Each structure stands twice: as C-alpha cells, then as structure tokens.
Amino acid sequence: MYRLFNALKCDANYLHQDELNAVDYCPERLRYEEMKHIGKYRLLDKYGKDMVDTVLIRS
C-alpha cells in the first residue's frame, strides 16, 4: 500500500475518504485540460509523439 501512495503522490487518507473532492490531499492531480492533452498524445503515431517530446524537452 505504501508503494501505491508514493506512486500516486497521495496521502493514504485521500484514497480512503468517501467524498473525493472533500479535501485535496493529492497535489499532483491532473486538471481536465491536462488529461485531454495526454489523451491526444496517446493517439499520436511515433512521429507525432517524437515531435511533442522534442518540443517539451527544449522548453
């Protein structure tokens, strides 16, 4: 369980709460816009992913 908490960068209490938006114990949570970008990235072919990776590495 500790490995899971560390991998998610979350407090154990965050995963055990009944209401997920009650308290923000997980500062590494992605915003909706970020999740959309990740979804689009996953749909890219190898060339497209290479282009995005190149831009991000240089920034």
Side-chain angles (χ1 to χ4, degrees), residues 1-2 32 37 39 41 43 46:
M1 293 295 284
Y2 292 113
Y32 178 72
H37 288 305
Y41 177 84
L43 295 174
K46 184 179 177 184

Side-chain angles (χ1 to χ4, degrees), residues 3-11 14-15 26-29:
R3 286 184 183 172
L4 177 63
F5 303 143
N6 287 334
L8 295 174
K9 298 179 182 176
C10 291
D11 185 274
Y14 176 78
L15 297 178
C26 193
E28 298 296 323
R29 258 191 344 205

